[in-house]
Amino acid sequence: MTAKRSELKRQLLEKARQRPTARAAAPSAPSAQGAGAARSVPERFTRFDAHPGYQQLMMMRQGAEQLGLEVPFFKVHEGLAGATSVMDGRTCINFASYNYLGYSGDPRVVQAASEAAAHYGTSVSASRVVSGERPIHGELERAIASAYAVEDAVAFVSGHATNVSTLGYLLGPKDLILHDEYIHNSSLVGAQLSGAKRMSFSHNDPDALEALLVQHRHQFERVLVVIEGLYSMDGDIPDLPRFIALKQRHQAWLMVDEAHSFGVMGKTGLGLREHFAIDPTDVDIWMGTMSKTLSGCGGYIAGSTALVETLRYFAPGFLYSVGMPAQVAAPSLKVLELMPQEPERVAKLQAISRYFLEQAQARGMDTGHSIGSAVVPVIVGSSPLAAHLSNALLARDINVQPILYPAVPEKSARLRFFLSCEHTQAHIDETLEVLEKLLAEGM
């Protein structure tokens, strides 16, 4: 990268760190209606194009244009997105899908969705609390509870809203939420909504968590610790038994977000509890999403009857939302039926993920802390470089998304590869060979 481009990159990153302030409009002339008239409002408070968020977006686009970057987001997939996908009329090797076990598009899963829509219609047309309840909702929730070997589960229409509503309702101003520094945005928003005190601890660091618990536990009523089962930026997992021991010692609740670990971890894909062979009731709140392995959409909470019933009747994101459409619930229910019958899918996913990790490392690529389970980053240390690489790979029919600052620190900018059980060694070899050449060329 030239010195001029490096300096431009530095300036743009510095601007991005600062929340832009809209240029103040000149004050309007006093109203002729007299002293009782309302004062004029500055134009920056009445225009969407003067909103700080929009101005930041425009600044980022201008910076990308000056660096010769194409915007790498909102790429269109023209059909089923699995290990391959059709984009702009071309079949590409695809590493930007959560279709980990290949069930999205499976004829049996598609048929389940079709039959549910034909029987129940395309919308349940009301909140489940009033008149939106359908038998398939209960069937899905019982299947989720069974998968986790806990008493009950509740399904929300949005994965993001699951965390927002659960944390936002269960905790309050006298409580404390302790979370991994890399936790999902939905948990951060839920913590803010709750009014509870919020503190983060270093990523995957039980010792840092323990220090916070020792110092602060006695100051609060309820304390909730929130971690993830598989971190989607780095592809690493927490030491769950250590976190369980800490929460028990300090009389806290533990919540595990399994958005990416269910269907991926464990011999049969039952997630972190199977991977570590723990008693599932040692975790107070299991959370997951249905948009990934389960090939639907929405989120769920699984745990004790008391927890689930409380959320079912009082969590705003469930209580005031329309019920999940039957054709969305049916695919997830079908996948939960199929997974125990087809453990080879999980085995294939885990094997191809390890192969990707090993081959990338053998070529000298920085894969961070990934354990090689469905998510493997290749860290390149520069947002412009990551964006250039993504576009160059797509030009060669390989689709992978860049992760740029501020989503990660600039020095951690990366390409993030999501693996599927349907990827082959040939897919991996071709991709890494092309990427190695691009990196050697310096883009």
Side-chain angles (χ1 to χ4, degrees):
M1 185 178 289
T2 65
K4 180 178 180 181
R5 177 175 286 182
S6 296
E7 175 59 19
L8 176 58
K9 169 188 158 185
R10 186 196 65 76
Q11 294 175 5
L12 291 169
L13 289 172
E14 183 60 33
K15 289 181 181 180
R17 291 187 181 97
Q18 304 170 2
R19 184 176 176 86
T21 302
R23 182 165 54 89
S28 302
S31 170
Q33 296 180 8
R39 298 180 62 125
S40 177
V41 176
E43 190 178 51
R44 69 181 184 274
F45 298 133
T46 64
R47 296 172 59 100
F48 288 116
D49 60 4
H51 190 281
Y54 184 76
Q55 294 209 330
Q56 184 175 23
L57 176 62
M58 292 299 100
M59 182 271 292
M60 292 169 63
R61 286 179 176 171
Q62 180 185 15
E65 183 178 348
Q66 291 174 341
L67 288 171
L69 297 175
E70 296 180 33
V71 176
F73 308 117
F74 293 96
K75 296 174 181 175
V76 177
H77 295 254
E78 297 165 16
L80 173 66
T84 61
S85 182
V86 176
M87 305 177 68
D88 196 23
R90 310 187 328 261
T91 298
C92 301
I93 304 172
N94 180 39
F95 295 100
S97 168
Y98 304 142
N99 192 9
Y100 295 133
L101 296 185
Y103 280 121
S104 179
D106 183 288
R108 298 164 297 178
V109 176
V110 172
Q111 182 180 1
S114 177
E115 291 175 353
H119 183 74
Y120 294 107
T122 57
S123 173
V124 300
S125 304
S127 166
R128 286 175 57 186
V129 177
V130 289
S131 61
E133 189 75 4
R134 301 294 185 271
I136 200 167
H137 294 137
E139 293 171 24
L140 174 60
E141 290 167 345
R142 287 189 292 273
I144 293 170
S146 177
Y148 279 94
V150 294
E151 292 176 347
D152 205 352
V154 58
F156 292 71
V157 292
S158 160
H160 191 278
T162 302
N163 278 338
V164 171
S165 203
T166 297
L167 272 68
Y169 178 75
L170 289 179
L171 286 301
K174 296 181 180 181
D175 302 326
L176 172 65
I177 297 174
L178 301 171
H179 63 84
D180 189 288
E181 63 178 329
Y182 292 167
I183 206 71
H184 278 133
N185 169 269
S186 52
S187 292
L188 297 180
V189 174
Q192 294 166 352
L193 178 65
S194 74
K197 178 71 174 179
R198 178 179 66 84
M199 300 178 187
S200 66
F201 54 87
S202 300
H203 178 54
N204 272 346
D205 189 344
D207 292 333
L209 170 62
E210 184 169 27
L212 290 175
L213 286 166
V214 168
Q215 183 176 359
H216 299 288
R217 174 63 183 95
H218 65 283
Q219 302 171 14
F220 297 91
E221 293 181 355
R222 300 172 188 85
V223 173
L224 173 66
V225 176
V226 189
I227 59 176
E228 292 183 25
L230 176 66
Y231 288 88
S232 62
M233 287 295 178
D234 291 89
D236 56 350
I237 64 174
D239 184 348
L240 184 58
R242 283 283 311 278
F243 283 97
I244 289 173
L246 285 175
K247 79 98 181 178
Q248 291 173 338
R249 186 180 313 145
H250 294 278
Q251 298 177 285
W253 287 333
L254 177 62
M255 178 176 180
V256 179
D257 179 336
E258 287 222 287
H260 291 274
S261 52
F262 188 82
V264 171
M265 302 302 301
K267 185 176 181 180
T268 63
L270 292 179
L272 218 55
R273 66 105 168 173
E274 183 179 39
H275 177 78
F276 284 107
I278 61 139
D279 182 341
T281 62
D282 284 341
V283 171
D284 302 279
I285 306 174
W286 291 103
M287 180 271 174
T289 56
M290 287 171 282
S291 56
K292 301 172 178 65
T293 293
L294 294 183
S295 304
C297 192
Y300 59 83
I301 296 291
S304 69
T305 299
L307 164 69
V308 170
E309 284 291 277
T310 298
L311 296 175
R312 192 171 275 139
Y313 279 90
F314 297 110
F318 180 85
L319 181 63
Y320 298 110
S321 289
V322 69
M324 181 179 291
Q327 73 272 18
V328 174
S332 297
L333 179 60
K334 189 64 178 180
V335 173
L336 287 167
E337 174 192 325
L338 294 172
M339 278 178 58
Q341 303 170 20
E342 301 175 345
E344 66 275 9
R345 290 181 182 248
V346 178
K348 288 179 181 178
L349 170 64
Q350 294 173 351
I352 200 66
S353 298
R354 286 192 300 270
Y355 183 78
F356 187 104
L357 181 70
E358 292 164 359
Q359 293 302 308
Q361 291 175 341
R363 294 171 185 266
M365 297 176 185
D366 183 358
T367 57
H369 300 291
S370 175
I371 64 170
S373 284
V375 183
V376 183
V378 172
I379 299 169
V380 298
S382 162
S383 291
L385 176 58
H388 275 302
L389 287 168
S390 176
N391 285 322
L393 285 164
L394 186 60
R396 294 159 176 82
D397 297 339
I398 300 167
N399 181 48
V400 57
Q401 283 294 118
I403 304 298
L404 316 174
Y405 177 88
V408 294
E410 174 63 10
K411 65 181 181 181
S412 296
R414 63 195 62 191
L415 299 174
R416 182 172 59 168
F417 293 84
F418 290 108
L419 282 303
S420 162
C421 69
E422 296 179 336
H423 280 114
T424 66
Q425 290 189 3
H427 289 147
I428 306 307
D429 293 342
E430 177 182 347
T431 297
L432 293 179
E433 181 179 349
V434 172
L435 178 56
E436 185 177 34
K437 290 179 179 178
L438 291 172
L439 287 168
E441 293 168 1
M443 290 304 296

